[in-house]
């Protein structure tokens, strides 16, 4: 650990731009970083309790120290700005922009659901702990409530971690029966890489009425996916745990590439994991002022960003929020 400390300090002393410090951060603290790997490569089971405790303490001290050192170096580093502006050039020809790929998929999904009689709602980003967690039967000690997963504001509110925050709000506002989807932006405290972003999109949906069952859930999901992928889709449900649904499921669709025979895309399983869903927990209905003895309903949460990646074959999640014109202009508007 002392050697790692020395090496990190030496590297930081050499780095004089923000980008250089960021590279060092990734090398030491990223998913495959030297410090991260240190903990992965140690065999905890071979240690006795005291050694394990001491190891954990030392490791956490090192990690916190390294994070602070990197943050301090970033604060001191120069931000490099490429000022390449020639004010004598004539203005560029004006052109209409294109629709962002997330918006394209969102619009398509909204149209599919509107065709089935669903209302489209929106969502708020700064949310109370109650609507983001407690109202959804997510207990106080649930890991999603930790700083590691969630952006907390100093006033005790959170940047919503999922579109599920709107479930109880919608139920309280509109009552039952209700068929609604509510797409939008969500935030998590993530280490960003090719498939993880701190800012991403989901579409949440609920359907509440008399006698709503899992059969309705499957039918609506099959209709949605068949419309999105323009072919008949076979789906299956596996058990999944989310505190706000009971029973909860992971819905898979049969691999579109190999039709279920097994290929690289589906890791030879024949199935692709698509979305979590389930029957709305009676406690959640009750929070929404709906009588669970009278009404039942289903809910689902679809990863819109992930769906856009699948649909357009985009391998890198960071492109979505990058503002890269070359990326964005590949998507022509699908609507007039
Ligand atoms: N909110 C969950 C998440 O972001 C996803 C989810 C799971 C939504 C099950 C649902 C559901 O509506 O029924 O991880």
């Amino acid at each position: 650990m002392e050697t790692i400390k020395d090496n990190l300090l030496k590297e930081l002393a050499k780095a004089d731009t923000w980008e250089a410090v960021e590279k060092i951060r990734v090398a030491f603290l990223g998913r495959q970083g030297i410090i991260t790997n240190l903990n992965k490569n140690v065999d905890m089971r071979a240690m006795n309790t005291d050694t394990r405790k001491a190891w954990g303490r030392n490791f956490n001290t090192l990690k916190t120290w390294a994070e602070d050192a990197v943050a301090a170096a970033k604060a001191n580093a120069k931000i490099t700005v490429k000022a390449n502006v020639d004010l004598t050039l004539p203005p560029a020809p004006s052109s209409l922009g294109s629709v962002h790929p997330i918006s394209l998929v969102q619009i398509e999904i909204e149209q599919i659901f509107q065709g089935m009689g669903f209302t489209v709602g929106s969502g708020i980003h700064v949310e109370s702990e109650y609507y983001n967690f407690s109202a959804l039967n997510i207990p106080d000690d649930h890991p999603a409530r930790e700083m590691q997963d969630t952006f907390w504001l100093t006033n005790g509110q959170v940047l919503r971690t999922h579109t599920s925050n709107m479930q109880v709000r919608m139920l309280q506002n509109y009552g039952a029966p209700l068929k609604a989807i509510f797409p939008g932006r969500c935030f998590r405290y993530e280490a960003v890489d090719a498939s993880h972003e701190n800012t991403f999109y989901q579409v949440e949906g609920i359907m509440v009425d008399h006698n709503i069952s899992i059969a309705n859930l499957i039918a609506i999901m099959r209709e949605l996916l068949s419309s999105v992928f323009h072919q008949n889709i076979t789906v299956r449900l596996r058990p999944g745990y989310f505190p706000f649904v009971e029973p909860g499921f992971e819905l898979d669709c049969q691999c579109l590439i190999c039709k279920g025979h097994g290929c690289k895309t589906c890791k030879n399983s024949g199935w692709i994991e698509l979305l979590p869903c389930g029957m709305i927990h009676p406690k959640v209905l009750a929070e929404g002022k709906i009588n669970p003895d009278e009404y039942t309903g289903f809910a689902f949460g679809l990863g819109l960003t992930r769906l856009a990646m699948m649909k357009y074959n985009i391998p890198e999640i960071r492109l979505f929020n990058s503002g890269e014109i070359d990326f964005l202009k590949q998507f022509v508007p699908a609507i007039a």
Side-chain angles (χ1 to χ4, degrees):
M1 286 188 183
E2 287 306 317
T3 320
I4 292 178
K5 262 184 159 176
D6 286 347
N7 288 345
L8 178 58
L9 283 179
K10 270 187 213 140
E11 296 279 327
L12 286 178
K14 278 188 273 169
D16 62 349
T17 63
W18 191 95
E19 290 81 359
V21 179
E22 174 62 10
K23 272 202 185 127
I24 297 170
R25 186 195 66 77
V26 172
F28 281 80
L29 290 160
R31 274 171 199 269
Q32 291 300 334
I34 296 169
I35 295 181
T36 318
N37 280 341
L38 199 61
N39 211 28
K40 280 193 207 148
N41 295 338
V42 68
D43 184 4
M44 300 275 187
R45 281 166 311 179
M47 295 181 182
N48 65 32
T49 318
D50 286 347
T51 320
R52 191 162 50 236
K53 273 195 191 149
W55 166 268
R57 244 192 331 268
N58 288 340
F59 177 78
N60 284 333
T61 310
L62 170 68
K63 192 163 166 242
T64 313
W65 174 86
E67 284 165 354
D68 290 349
V70 167
K74 275 192 178 164
N76 288 330
K78 284 185 262 144
I79 304 268
T80 44
V81 179
K82 292 192 198 93
N84 246 342
V85 184
D86 181 352
L87 294 175
T88 63
L89 285 176
S94 77
S95 67
L96 285 176
S98 49
V99 179
H100 193 280
I102 301 267
S103 301
L104 281 178
V105 183
Q106 180 177 329
I107 291 163
E108 191 176 355
I109 288 180
E110 286 178 3
Q111 285 172 347
I112 295 167
F113 274 104
Q114 277 167 332
M116 296 192 281
F118 279 65
T119 304
V120 178
S122 60
I124 54 172
H125 297 156
V126 175
E127 184 56 286
S128 65
E129 200 180 345
Y130 171 73
Y131 284 110
N132 199 79
F133 295 124
S134 317
L136 294 168
N137 194 32
I138 300 178
D140 278 347
D141 57 357
H142 195 281
R145 292 199 181 205
E146 284 181 19
M147 300 288 280
Q148 276 78 357
D149 284 326
T150 309
F151 290 114
W152 290 88
L153 307 188
T154 45
N155 66 4
Q157 289 186 300
V158 298
L159 292 188
R160 66 165 173 185
T161 56
H162 49 188
T163 42
S164 309
N165 73 315
M166 294 304 293
Q167 282 195 19
V168 168
R169 285 182 177 278
M170 295 292 280
L171 293 171
Q172 288 176 348
N173 284 346
Y174 297 104
L178 179 62
K179 294 197 281 185
I181 61 163
F182 20 103
R185 193 184 284 176
C186 311
F187 310 86
R188 285 188 203 170
Y189 185 62
E190 284 276 5
V192 175
D193 65 17
S195 53
H196 297 81
E197 248 291 13
N198 50 37
T199 306
F200 56 95
Y201 290 77
Q202 296 184 334
V203 188
E204 191 91 3
I206 52 175
M207 178 169 182
V208 178
D209 206 334
H210 294 290
N211 301 319
I212 295 292
S213 73
I214 298 170
N216 300 106
L217 168 64
I218 295 176
I220 299 278
M221 292 301 106
R222 203 190 282 146
E223 181 62 31
L224 162 70
L225 298 170
S226 301
S227 304
V228 170
F229 292 109
H230 306 291
Q231 52 187 294
N232 273 329
I233 299 280
T234 308
V235 299
R236 75 171 182 190
L237 294 180
R238 284 179 292 118
Y241 174 69
F242 298 92
F244 37 97
V245 280
E246 182 59 42
F249 306 108
E250 292 286 350
L251 184 138
D252 301 335
C253 81
Q254 199 173 64
C255 179
L256 303 175
I257 312 231
C258 64
K259 302 277 176 249
H261 295 296
C263 69
K264 221 168 73 189
T265 305
C266 61
K267 297 199 192 88
N268 273 324
S269 71
W271 296 91
I272 306 257
E273 191 175 317
L274 261 192
L275 59 98
C277 52
M279 299 305 291
I280 302 176
H281 197 291
K283 280 192 190 160
V284 176
L285 287 174
E287 293 293 340
K289 308 275 179 283
I290 307 286
N291 180 356
D293 295 328
E294 192 182 348
Y295 288 102
T296 51
F298 67 75
F300 63 90
L302 177 67
L304 200 54
T305 304
R306 203 169 142 242
L307 191 67
M309 291 175 84
M310 279 175 72
K311 193 170 156 112
Y312 298 115
N313 237 328
I314 300 168
E316 165 61 77
I317 200 170
R318 283 170 288 199
L319 284 168
F320 288 108
N321 297 338
S322 67
E324 288 279 349
I325 302 289
D326 284 346
F327 168 67
L328 295 171
K329 72 182 178 198
Q330 296 174 54
F331 300 93
V332 282
I335 43 165

